[in-house]
Amino acid sequence: MRVLITGAAGFLGSHLSDRFIAEGHTVVGMDNLITGNIDNIAHLMGHERFSFMKHDVSNYIYVPGEIDAVLHFASPASPNDYLEHPIPTLKVGSLGTHNTLGLAKVKGARYLLASTSEVYGDPQVNPQPETYWGNVNPIGPRGVYDEAKRFAEAMTLAYQRFHGLETRIVRIFNTYGPRMRLNDGRVVPNFIHQALTGKPLTVYGDGSQTRAFQYYSDLVEGIYRLLHSNEDLPVNIGNPNEMTILDFAHAVVEIARSDSEIVFVQPKDDRFTDDPKQRRPDITKAKQVLDWEPQVALADGLAQTLDFFRDKV
Ligand code: NAD
Ligand code: UDP
């Protein structure tokens, strides 16, 4: 296959590019580098089956030649990033999704949208199955990301139903691993940075809010299976190992063998507004239709991620 991956210089897009290259496919990576880093794909530059186009996908996209699959991963993903870039986030979820769908249609390509657990907002159902419609505040600060992704899902399904496009939607739950930006503001790089430098780990609020963390390689496997499956409605891909953020802080300190203390802080800015109180994927569907479930334990994934960050702090 010849595959277009948008957001290819980001954390997930770069790992996906690696997987498709390793499977013998040809990858066209596209990114405007708003939150990505060209270093993430430096090792692919010069590879005969990889090429890179610097382009903002919210503008009209032109890619010469045949394309068999479009994977739309471009979007700021960290709350810090999308709060800093609210309008580009809304644009890439709406205009960028429209443009990439239009490209897939003209090329006769299969389309896969990177959606998110944020479509469930601050969920009143736990764990979240794909049938849950969510609880999103459209006018809160996080709404720029959540609503852009909800629009993106609606647009993707419209192309499927109206144009007969072959589409897939993955709802990604918190994923971590090497190539995250140390300063992207998400809890994993924040805590790792703090643990490795002996600074206090900053738990927001009282730390009772929950998340469930998935290692990137499990996600990449799920996405690869989903693209090749016949499932044309959204599928959750995440690790159901739910824990409080306070317990997560303790786990990072322990695995890093750090002597950092843990402190509670109350961010006064938008970072903590509408922060979901609980989040855990129901992965029954992924098990059934993709024969997929996560393989990497938190201790192993965190150890690998700590190794990656150790010489970067
Ligand atoms: P990231 O910020 O590392 O990567 C996103 C990439 O998209 C960056 O390289 C950025 O420069 C690029 N980009 C953004 N807007 C663009 C535009 N208009 N044109 C071209 N490129 C653009 O984030 P990530 O964690 O790798 O997330 C990738 C995708 O996965 C996003 O769509 C995100 O919403 C989704 N996702 C990620 C997670 C997670 O836990 N990492 C969870 C849910 C969903
Ligand atoms: N968080 C925290 N300390 C930090 C960064 C984040 O306690 O230094 C919390 C945040 O409030 C949220 C959780 O960790 O409850 C996950 O935040 P993240 O930004 O990683 O992603 P989210 O799941 O909110 O999109």
Side-chain angles (χ1 to χ4, degrees):
M1 285 195 296
R2 185 163 183 256
V3 181
L4 174 72
I5 300 180
T6 74
F11 161 49
L12 295 178
S14 64
H15 286 299
L16 267 181
S17 298
D18 285 347
R19 175 66 185 264
F20 279 85
I21 291 289
E23 297 282 352
H25 304 298
T26 296
V27 174
V28 179
M30 186 172 280
D31 204 297
N32 69 349
L33 304 178
I34 187 174
T35 59
N37 184 347
I38 204 78
D39 289 350
N40 287 338
I41 46 172
H43 59 288
L44 292 175
M45 296 296 190
H47 192 290
E48 58 179 1
R49 284 185 283 107
F50 183 81
S51 57
F52 179 70
M53 297 172 76
K54 185 167 185 290
H55 181 68
D56 180 342
V57 300
S58 298
N59 298 321
Y60 181 83
I61 304 169
Y62 172 71
V63 181
E66 288 179 12
I67 296 283
D68 304 296
V70 174
L71 286 84
H72 182 34
F73 277 70
S75 171
S78 145
N80 269 18
D81 288 340
Y82 59 75
L83 293 170
E84 190 179 334
H85 305 288
I87 295 168
T89 301
L90 280 159
K91 286 174 75 173
V92 74
S94 53
L95 305 177
T97 301
H98 190 206
N99 290 334
T100 49
L101 281 163
L103 181 80
K105 178 170 153 264
V106 82
K107 301 284 189 189
R110 188 172 281 205
Y111 185 87
L112 187 143
L113 172 70
S115 186
T116 169
S117 54
E118 290 279 324
V119 300
Y120 302 122
D122 187 6
Q124 289 166 327
V125 170
N126 199 44
Q128 295 84 52
E130 290 85 350
T131 47
Y132 178 51
W133 290 355
N135 177 37
V136 171
N137 174 3
I139 56 166
R142 297 177 84 104
V144 299
Y145 180 70
D146 303 6
E147 294 296 0
K149 291 289 187 181
R150 289 167 69 96
F151 175 92
E153 288 199 4
M155 186 62 119
T156 300
L157 264 299
Y159 264 68
Q160 180 192 115
R161 291 173 183 143
F162 190 73
H163 290 307
L165 197 71
E166 281 216 51
T167 65
R168 308 285 177 264
I169 297 176
V170 55
R171 289 188 180 151
I172 303 168
F173 283 66
N174 294 66
T175 305
Y176 69 97
R179 301 186 193 160
M180 295 183 96
R181 273 184 7 257
L182 197 54
N183 60 350
D184 86 0
R186 286 185 269 196
V187 68
V188 175
N190 267 15
F191 283 2
I192 286 183
H193 194 181
Q194 291 158 344
L196 290 178
T197 52
K199 296 196 182 106
L201 273 67
T202 53
V203 169
Y204 297 166
D206 64 4
S208 65
Q209 70 272 33
T210 67
R211 294 293 185 275
F213 296 99
Q214 150 173 258
Y215 196 55
Y216 81 90
S217 57
D218 284 330
L219 173 70
V220 168
E221 180 62 33
I223 291 168
Y224 200 78
R225 289 185 190 205
L226 177 61
L227 181 71
H228 292 93
S229 78
N230 293 320
E231 182 53 50
D232 59 7
L233 289 174
V235 180
N236 290 338
I237 299 286
N239 191 319
N241 179 22
E242 181 183 9
M243 61 178 66
T244 67
I245 291 298
L246 180 57
D247 284 345
F248 182 62
H250 283 293
V252 172
V253 166
E254 189 186 318
I255 293 162
R257 295 199 183 86
S258 166
D259 44 25
S260 288
E261 50 173 341
I262 293 171
V263 296
F264 296 94
V265 300
Q266 308 295 330
K268 294 279 184 281
D269 52 32
D270 285 342
R271 273 176 300 173
F272 200 50
T273 307
D274 297 336
D275 193 56
K277 286 179 269 314
Q278 54 186 357
R279 185 184 289 155
R280 175 188 182 182
D282 181 332
I283 59 166
T284 309
K285 185 173 181 183
K287 282 184 184 163
Q288 280 169 356
V289 302
L290 307 178
D291 190 25
W292 174 92
E293 61 185 319
Q295 304 293 324
V296 182
L298 183 69
D300 298 331
L302 271 182
Q304 302 271 344
T305 311
L306 279 157
D307 282 347
F308 170 81
F309 279 121
R310 226 174 278 279
D311 60 356
K312 295 181 176 56
V313 293

